[in-house]
Amino acid sequence: MTAPKIQAARWVAYDVLRAVSDDDAYANLLLPKLIVEANLNPQDAGLATELAYGTLRRRGTYDAIIAEAAGRPVEQIDPAVLDALRLGTHQLLSTRVAAYAAVNESVSLVAAEAGRGASGFANAVLRRIGRDDAETWQQRIEAGARSDDERLALRTAHPVWVIRALRRALAAESRADELDALLASDNDAPEVTLAALPGLAEAGTPRRPYAATAFGSPGGDPRRVISDSGGTVRVQDEGSQLVALALAAAAPVRAGERWLDLCAGPGGKTAMLAALALESGAELEANEVVPARAGLVRHAVRPLPIDVPVHEQDGRVFAAQHPASFDRILVDAPCTGLGALRRRPEARWRKSAEDVAELVELQMQLLDAAVDAVKPGGIVGYATCSPHLAETTGIVAEILRRRDDIVELDAREVMTGISRTPIDLAPRGDGPGAGSAQLWPHRHGTDAMFLALLQCTDPERTTS
């Protein structure tokens, strides 16, 4: 078979899988671009999205099935062939795609990418998988699990270390019994949520429950609404919107305040903060160390009638160069991304437990630098798209232990105060981090965003 016989939607999905595997690409950024480039109609765009996201989401489970059917570990399979097998397995076991189409087009992908010899191997493996249904394969791979957590990992397509981290995070709220609901929510495709930038656009319907700026996409396809708004409406998770809104609401804004988004890419929170700054007479600057992501930040703020300088430096260096300079700083720190597994399904396979320590060190350094860059009475918002305790309350506890020039504000109270409807933010004990706010996909329908608010109490600090 030749490449032209392969449906365009499958090519797009396969290209996303290859980019994620080879280049650590972000599927949620790459997929829309490839859909436009391939000129897919809405139906094919929906198919490409389901194939790419569905395959990425359940990759660990599919790898176990492929290894069983192939009689060899997936590490011994050529990566280009493996991605095609994953795509075919998803179609065979988790969609209504006809088995012959799932097998034939996946084999054609292998032939186009790796040659006819490899396509024979792929054909044999996929036909073996297609002989049994999903439940039979699930029972087969779970039978080889060495622990209850391994069985749960295979059933829910979450690495064991992620399951354990999520369980501990829920237990910190005395809600460990919600683990099954959380894991199931991670595997649900999220609804599209839009943000109407304050003062520049009005939220449409259906309204989301918490952020005054958040609403659903009529008909599911947001492109028309976004285009008609001139960029003052954009896709943004409600949890992300709440983080920016809470930082602005943490204390009354005085005209002329200087704000900083220290780790700004890709720019969603930056745009929200820019609109809020415009409304309140504040100024905003942004910083992003990765040039490509800095370009996304510039694109995000371009529609706003406010000048937002976007710097391209290591956040630690930039903050050190601006001591006691800003009234509010958002540190949306690089993290494991465990809070956005619905939207970035590949994130669960991208990191390992060993990566957490390095991320925590970076998070601590960024937060420490941000505290030095805030004025007396200024506020630092520390946020992660992760509920992992080492990246959330662990960081807050450590910064409060190290420094006597900051106090923790009650982010739960601030977020509750700006929410349109009652929001269930579980208490987090009495120690450091007790005032932090943790959102959850299964409880709030948002990404699992974390926010802590820290205020500088040093009256002697010299401002620049």
Side-chain angles (χ1 to χ4, degrees):
M1 293 186 184
T2 58
K5 295 182 180 179
I6 301 167
Q7 186 181 7
R10 287 186 174 86
W11 265 120
V12 167
Y14 181 71
D15 284 345
V16 170
L17 300 186
R18 296 300 302 125
V20 169
S21 295
D22 281 359
D23 303 322
D24 263 355
Y26 290 89
N28 64 318
L29 299 179
L30 178 61
L31 179 61
K33 177 184 175 184
L34 294 183
I35 286 173
V36 170
E37 289 177 356
N39 197 28
L40 298 186
N41 61 41
Q43 182 177 356
D44 283 344
L47 176 60
T49 301
E50 161 56 27
L51 294 182
Y53 277 28
T55 303
L56 290 169
R57 191 173 288 120
R58 299 197 62 80
R59 194 183 84 177
T61 301
Y62 294 152
D63 281 2
I65 292 170
I66 291 166
E68 181 77 19
R72 68 183 71 170
V74 292
E75 292 79 13
Q76 295 180 11
I77 300 174
D78 178 87
V81 176
L82 180 57
D83 278 332
L85 290 174
R86 290 165 172 161
L87 188 60
T89 302
H90 176 65
Q91 293 172 80
L92 285 168
L93 301 183
S94 301
T95 74
R96 297 180 180 179
V97 172
Y100 74 86
V103 173
N104 290 347
E105 296 219 14
S106 298
V107 170
S108 296
L109 284 169
V110 173
E113 293 294 296
R116 289 191 173 276
S119 70
F121 165 75
N123 183 63
V125 172
L126 288 173
R127 290 190 182 280
R128 196 168 298 136
I129 292 171
R131 291 189 194 122
D132 295 312
D133 61 15
E135 184 58 33
T136 300
W137 276 110
Q138 195 67 47
Q139 292 174 2
R140 189 173 295 156
I141 61 174
E142 286 185 30
R146 295 166 295 181
S147 67
D148 289 343
D149 279 352
E150 276 199 14
R151 274 185 287 277
L152 186 59
L154 290 167
R155 191 177 315 131
T156 64
H158 287 72
V160 169
W161 77 272
V162 172
I163 288 173
R164 292 171 178 168
L166 295 177
R167 182 187 289 123
R168 286 192 292 269
L170 287 168
E173 298 182 350
S174 301
R175 297 191 179 184
D177 59 346
E178 295 181 4
L179 179 63
D180 287 344
L182 171 58
L183 297 176
S185 182
D186 278 348
N187 287 332
D188 289 338
E191 295 181 4
V192 176
T193 297
L194 299 174
L197 295 181
L200 300 172
E202 293 294 327
T205 55
R207 298 293 296 275
R208 293 291 190 239
Y210 308 122
T213 51
F215 63 106
S217 174
D221 186 351
R223 286 177 291 184
R224 180 64 180 270
V225 175
I226 293 170
S227 176
D228 289 348
S229 78
T232 59
V233 170
R234 67 269 314 283
V235 174
Q236 187 177 17
D237 178 72
E238 187 176 17
S240 175
Q241 296 180 49
L242 284 169
V243 164
L245 292 167
L247 178 59
V253 180
R254 304 179 309 277
E257 281 192 4
R258 292 183 68 193
W259 298 357
L260 172 65
D261 189 351
L262 187 61
C263 310
K269 297 182 187 69
T270 316
M272 182 66 69
L273 287 172
L276 293 165
L278 183 65
E279 272 194 320
S280 56
E283 300 174 358
L284 175 68
E285 295 182 44
N287 180 75
E288 170 55 47
V289 66
V290 180
R293 289 170 63 84
L296 295 175
V297 177
R298 293 187 182 96
H299 178 76
V301 299
R302 191 170 295 140
L304 284 79
I306 181 175
D307 179 41
V308 180
V310 180
H311 309 280
E312 295 183 20
Q313 286 186 263
D314 183 312
R316 295 164 292 188
V317 174
F318 182 84
Q321 293 173 347
H322 297 82
S325 299
F326 296 96
D327 298 280
R328 298 177 203 232
I329 300 177
L330 175 63
V331 183
D332 185 12
C335 66
T336 55
L338 299 186
L341 300 186
R342 303 172 308 154
R343 301 179 191 280
R344 297 198 293 272
E346 73 279 5
R348 69 190 76 187
W349 316 114
R350 177 165 275 148
K351 303 291 185 184
S352 69
E354 289 71 32
D355 295 319
V356 175
E358 184 177 349
L359 284 166
V360 164
E361 183 177 0
L362 174 60
Q363 292 155 2
M364 192 70 232
Q365 291 171 355
L366 286 165
L367 182 54
D368 223 1
V371 170
D372 287 336
V374 80
K375 297 177 181 178
I379 298 171
V380 176
Y382 172 72
T384 63
C385 192
S386 169
H388 196 301
L389 293 178
E391 301 185 278
T392 56
T393 52
I395 293 288
V396 176
E398 179 62 14
I399 193 79
L400 290 171
R401 184 190 69 80
R402 289 187 188 185
R403 308 187 62 134
D404 59 4
D405 58 346
I406 51 172
V407 295
E408 182 181 10
L409 303 181
D410 194 336
R412 292 173 60 245
E413 182 179 356
V414 173
M415 200 170 284
T416 299
I418 63 173
S419 180
R420 294 178 56 246
T421 63
I423 183 169
D424 180 7
L425 298 172
R428 302 179 69 82
D430 299 322
S436 60
Q438 179 68 64
L439 299 168
W440 295 97
H442 67 290
R443 200 184 300 162
H444 305 107
T446 69
D447 290 346
M449 293 296 305
F450 170 88
L451 176 66
L453 296 170
L454 305 172
Q455 187 169 39
C456 175
T457 58
D458 181 5
E460 305 298 323
R461 183 171 294 185
T462 303
T463 60
S464 60

